[in-house]
mmCIF file with all atom_site columns, all heavy atoms in Angstrom:
data_model
loop_
_atom_site.group_PDB
_atom_site.id
_atom_site.type_symbol
_atom_site.label_atom_id
_atom_site.label_alt_id
_atom_site.label_comp_id
_atom_site.label_asym_id
_atom_site.label_entity_id
_atom_site.label_seq_id
_atom_site.pdbx_PDB_ins_code
_atom_site.Cartn_x
_atom_site.Cartn_y
_atom_site.Cartn_z
_atom_site.occupancy
_atom_site.B_iso_or_equiv
_atom_site.pdbx_formal_charge
_atom_site.auth_seq_id
_atom_site.auth_comp_id
_atom_site.auth_asym_id
_atom_site.auth_atom_id
_atom_site.pdbx_PDB_model_num
ATOM 1  N N   . HIS A 1 243 ? 21.096 44.251 23.301 1.00 0.00 ? 376 HIS A N   1
ATOM 2  C CA  . HIS A 1 243 ? 21.116 44.038 24.750 1.00 0.00 ? 376 HIS A CA  1
ATOM 3  C C   . HIS A 1 243 ? 22.398 43.349 25.223 1.00 0.00 ? 376 HIS A C   1
ATOM 4  O O   . HIS A 1 243 ? 22.478 42.955 26.396 1.00 0.00 ? 376 HIS A O   1
ATOM 5  C CB  . HIS A 1 243 ? 19.896 43.222 25.168 1.00 0.00 ? 376 HIS A CB  1
ATOM 6  C CG  . HIS A 1 243 ? 18.595 43.956 25.004 1.00 0.00 ? 376 HIS A CG  1
ATOM 7  N ND1 . HIS A 1 243 ? 17.883 44.466 26.064 1.00 0.00 ? 376 HIS A ND1 1
ATOM 8  C CD2 . HIS A 1 243 ? 17.892 44.284 23.889 1.00 0.00 ? 376 HIS A CD2 1
ATOM 9  C CE1 . HIS A 1 243 ? 16.791 45.071 25.625 1.00 0.00 ? 376 HIS A CE1 1
ATOM 10 N NE2 . HIS A 1 243 ? 16.770 44.970 24.303 1.00 0.00 ? 376 HIS A NE2 1
ATOM 11 N N   . HIS A 1 244 ? 23.362 43.202 24.322 1.00 0.00 ? 377 HIS A N   1
ATOM 12 C CA  . HIS A 1 244 ? 24.695 42.682 24.661 1.00 0.00 ? 377 HIS A CA  1
ATOM 13 C C   . HIS A 1 244 ? 24.627 41.303 25.309 1.00 0.00 ? 377 HIS A C   1
ATOM 14 O O   . HIS A 1 244 ? 25.345 41.010 26.275 1.00 0.00 ? 377 HIS A O   1
ATOM 15 C CB  . HIS A 1 244 ? 25.421 43.675 25.588 1.00 0.00 ? 377 HIS A CB  1
ATOM 16 C CG  . HIS A 1 244 ? 25.422 45.088 25.085 1.00 0.00 ? 377 HIS A CG  1
ATOM 17 N ND1 . HIS A 1 244 ? 26.168 45.496 24.002 1.00 0.00 ? 377 HIS A ND1 1
ATOM 18 C CD2 . HIS A 1 244 ? 24.726 46.189 25.514 1.00 0.00 ? 377 HIS A CD2 1
ATOM 19 C CE1 . HIS A 1 244 ? 25.952 46.782 23.776 1.00 0.00 ? 377 HIS A CE1 1
ATOM 20 N NE2 . HIS A 1 244 ? 25.077 47.229 24.678 1.00 0.00 ? 377 HIS A NE2 1
ATOM 21 N N   . LEU A 1 245 ? 23.764 40.448 24.776 1.00 0.00 ? 378 LEU A N   1
ATOM 22 C CA  . LEU A 1 245 ? 23.640 39.099 25.315 1.00 0.00 ? 378 LEU A CA  1
ATOM 23 C C   . LEU A 1 245 ? 24.765 38.176 24.853 1.00 0.00 ? 378 LEU A C   1
ATOM 24 O O   . LEU A 1 245 ? 24.933 37.086 25.390 1.00 0.00 ? 378 LEU A O   1
ATOM 25 C CB  . LEU A 1 245 ? 22.295 38.473 24.916 1.00 0.00 ? 378 LEU A CB  1
ATOM 26 C CG  . LEU A 1 245 ? 21.112 38.669 25.883 1.00 0.00 ? 378 LEU A CG  1
ATOM 27 C CD1 . LEU A 1 245 ? 20.763 40.136 26.003 1.00 0.00 ? 378 LEU A CD1 1
ATOM 28 C CD2 . LEU A 1 245 ? 19.906 37.872 25.419 1.00 0.00 ? 378 LEU A CD2 1
ATOM 29 N N   . GLY A 1 246 ? 25.530 38.627 23.856 1.00 0.00 ? 379 GLY A N   1
ATOM 30 C CA  . GLY A 1 246 ? 26.564 37.776 23.291 1.00 0.00 ? 379 GLY A CA  1
ATOM 31 C C   . GLY A 1 246 ? 27.627 37.337 24.277 1.00 0.00 ? 379 GLY A C   1
ATOM 32 O O   . GLY A 1 246 ? 28.329 36.345 24.041 1.00 0.00 ? 379 GLY A O   1
ATOM 33 N N   . ASP A 1 247 ? 27.748 38.057 25.397 1.00 0.00 ? 380 ASP A N   1
ATOM 34 C CA  . ASP A 1 247 ? 28.753 37.697 26.401 1.00 0.00 ? 380 ASP A CA  1
ATOM 35 C C   . ASP A 1 247 ? 28.379 36.444 27.186 1.00 0.00 ? 380 ASP A C   1
ATOM 36 O O   . ASP A 1 247 ? 29.252 35.805 27.773 1.00 0.00 ? 380 ASP A O   1
ATOM 37 C CB  . ASP A 1 247 ? 28.952 38.862 27.381 1.00 0.00 ? 380 ASP A CB  1
ATOM 38 C CG  . ASP A 1 247 ? 29.568 40.082 26.714 1.00 0.00 ? 380 ASP A CG  1
ATOM 39 O OD1 . ASP A 1 247 ? 30.227 39.908 25.669 1.00 0.00 ? 380 ASP A OD1 1
ATOM 40 O OD2 . ASP A 1 247 ? 29.390 41.195 27.239 1.00 0.00 ? 380 ASP A OD2 1
ATOM 41 N N   . TYR A 1 248 ? 27.084 36.112 27.219 1.00 0.00 ? 381 TYR A N   1
ATOM 42 C CA  . TYR A 1 248 ? 26.663 34.969 28.034 1.00 0.00 ? 381 TYR A CA  1
ATOM 43 C C   . TYR A 1 248 ? 25.581 34.117 27.364 1.00 0.00 ? 381 TYR A C   1
ATOM 44 O O   . TYR A 1 248 ? 25.007 33.238 27.990 1.00 0.00 ? 381 TYR A O   1
ATOM 45 C CB  . TYR A 1 248 ? 26.166 35.434 29.406 1.00 0.00 ? 381 TYR A CB  1
ATOM 46 C CG  . TYR A 1 248 ? 25.083 36.487 29.378 1.00 0.00 ? 381 TYR A CG  1
ATOM 47 C CD1 . TYR A 1 248 ? 23.738 36.141 29.299 1.00 0.00 ? 381 TYR A CD1 1
ATOM 48 C CD2 . TYR A 1 248 ? 25.408 37.838 29.428 1.00 0.00 ? 381 TYR A CD2 1
ATOM 49 C CE1 . TYR A 1 248 ? 22.736 37.097 29.274 1.00 0.00 ? 381 TYR A CE1 1
ATOM 50 C CE2 . TYR A 1 248 ? 24.417 38.819 29.403 1.00 0.00 ? 381 TYR A CE2 1
ATOM 51 C CZ  . TYR A 1 248 ? 23.096 38.441 29.327 1.00 0.00 ? 381 TYR A CZ  1
ATOM 52 O OH  . TYR A 1 248 ? 22.118 39.402 29.291 1.00 0.00 ? 381 TYR A OH  1
ATOM 53 N N   . LEU A 1 249 ? 25.324 34.344 26.091 1.00 0.00 ? 382 LEU A N   1
ATOM 54 C CA  . LEU A 1 249 ? 24.365 33.527 25.336 1.00 0.00 ? 382 LEU A CA  1
ATOM 55 C C   . LEU A 1 249 ? 24.973 33.141 24.004 1.00 0.00 ? 382 LEU A C   1
ATOM 56 O O   . LEU A 1 249 ? 25.483 33.997 23.272 1.00 0.00 ? 382 LEU A O   1
ATOM 57 C CB  . LEU A 1 249 ? 23.050 34.284 25.130 1.00 0.00 ? 382 LEU A CB  1
ATOM 58 C CG  . LEU A 1 249 ? 21.969 33.509 24.361 1.00 0.00 ? 382 LEU A CG  1
ATOM 59 C CD1 . LEU A 1 249 ? 20.595 33.682 25.020 1.00 0.00 ? 382 LEU A CD1 1
ATOM 60 C CD2 . LEU A 1 249 ? 21.883 33.968 22.898 1.00 0.00 ? 382 LEU A CD2 1
ATOM 61 N N   . PHE A 1 250 ? 24.908 31.839 23.703 1.00 0.00 ? 383 PHE A N   1
ATOM 62 C CA  . PHE A 1 250 ? 25.404 31.342 22.411 1.00 0.00 ? 383 PHE A CA  1
ATOM 63 C C   . PHE A 1 250 ? 24.222 31.146 21.485 1.00 0.00 ? 383 PHE A C   1
ATOM 64 O O   . PHE A 1 250 ? 23.240 30.512 21.852 1.00 0.00 ? 383 PHE A O   1
ATOM 65 C CB  . PHE A 1 250 ? 26.159 30.021 22.589 1.00 0.00 ? 383 PHE A CB  1
ATOM 66 C CG  . PHE A 1 250 ? 26.855 29.556 21.342 1.00 0.00 ? 383 PHE A CG  1
ATOM 67 C CD1 . PHE A 1 250 ? 28.162 29.915 21.081 1.00 0.00 ? 383 PHE A CD1 1
ATOM 68 C CD2 . PHE A 1 250 ? 26.193 28.756 20.410 1.00 0.00 ? 383 PHE A CD2 1
ATOM 69 C CE1 . PHE A 1 250 ? 28.800 29.491 19.931 1.00 0.00 ? 383 PHE A CE1 1
ATOM 70 C CE2 . PHE A 1 250 ? 26.814 28.332 19.257 1.00 0.00 ? 383 PHE A CE2 1
ATOM 71 C CZ  . PHE A 1 250 ? 28.129 28.703 19.014 1.00 0.00 ? 383 PHE A CZ  1
ATOM 72 N N   . ARG A 1 251 ? 24.338 31.683 20.283 1.00 0.00 ? 384 ARG A N   1
ATOM 73 C CA  . ARG A 1 251 ? 23.263 31.601 19.273 1.00 0.00 ? 384 ARG A CA  1
ATOM 74 C C   . ARG A 1 251 ? 23.726 30.739 18.117 1.00 0.00 ? 384 ARG A C   1
ATOM 75 O O   . ARG A 1 251 ? 24.807 30.938 17.565 1.00 0.00 ? 384 ARG A O   1
ATOM 76 C CB  . ARG A 1 251 ? 22.934 33.013 18.782 1.00 0.00 ? 384 ARG A CB  1
ATOM 77 C CG  . ARG A 1 251 ? 22.187 33.095 17.434 1.00 0.00 ? 384 ARG A CG  1
ATOM 78 C CD  . ARG A 1 251 ? 20.715 32.933 17.640 1.00 0.00 ? 384 ARG A CD  1
ATOM 79 N NE  . ARG A 1 251 ? 19.955 33.582 16.570 1.00 0.00 ? 384 ARG A NE  1
ATOM 80 C CZ  . ARG A 1 251 ? 19.233 32.948 15.665 1.00 0.00 ? 384 ARG A CZ  1
ATOM 81 N NH1 . ARG A 1 251 ? 19.207 31.620 15.656 1.00 0.00 ? 384 ARG A NH1 1
ATOM 82 N NH2 . ARG A 1 251 ? 18.524 33.603 14.779 1.00 0.00 ? 384 ARG A NH2 1
ATOM 83 N N   . SER A 1 252 ? 22.913 29.743 17.761 1.00 0.00 ? 385 SER A N   1
ATOM 84 C CA  . SER A 1 252 ? 23.227 28.869 16.637 1.00 0.00 ? 385 SER A CA  1
ATOM 85 C C   . SER A 1 252 ? 21.998 28.696 15.763 1.00 0.00 ? 385 SER A C   1
ATOM 86 O O   . SER A 1 252 ? 20.869 28.672 16.259 1.00 0.00 ? 385 SER A O   1
ATOM 87 C CB  . SER A 1 252 ? 23.694 27.498 17.143 1.00 0.00 ? 385 SER A CB  1
ATOM 88 O OG  . SER A 1 252 ? 23.850 26.577 16.069 1.00 0.00 ? 385 SER A OG  1
#
Side-chain angles (χ1 to χ4, degrees):
H376 292 254
H377 310 289
L378 269 63
D380 294 337
Y381 54 87
L382 181 137
F383 188 91
R384 161 84 154 112
S385 173

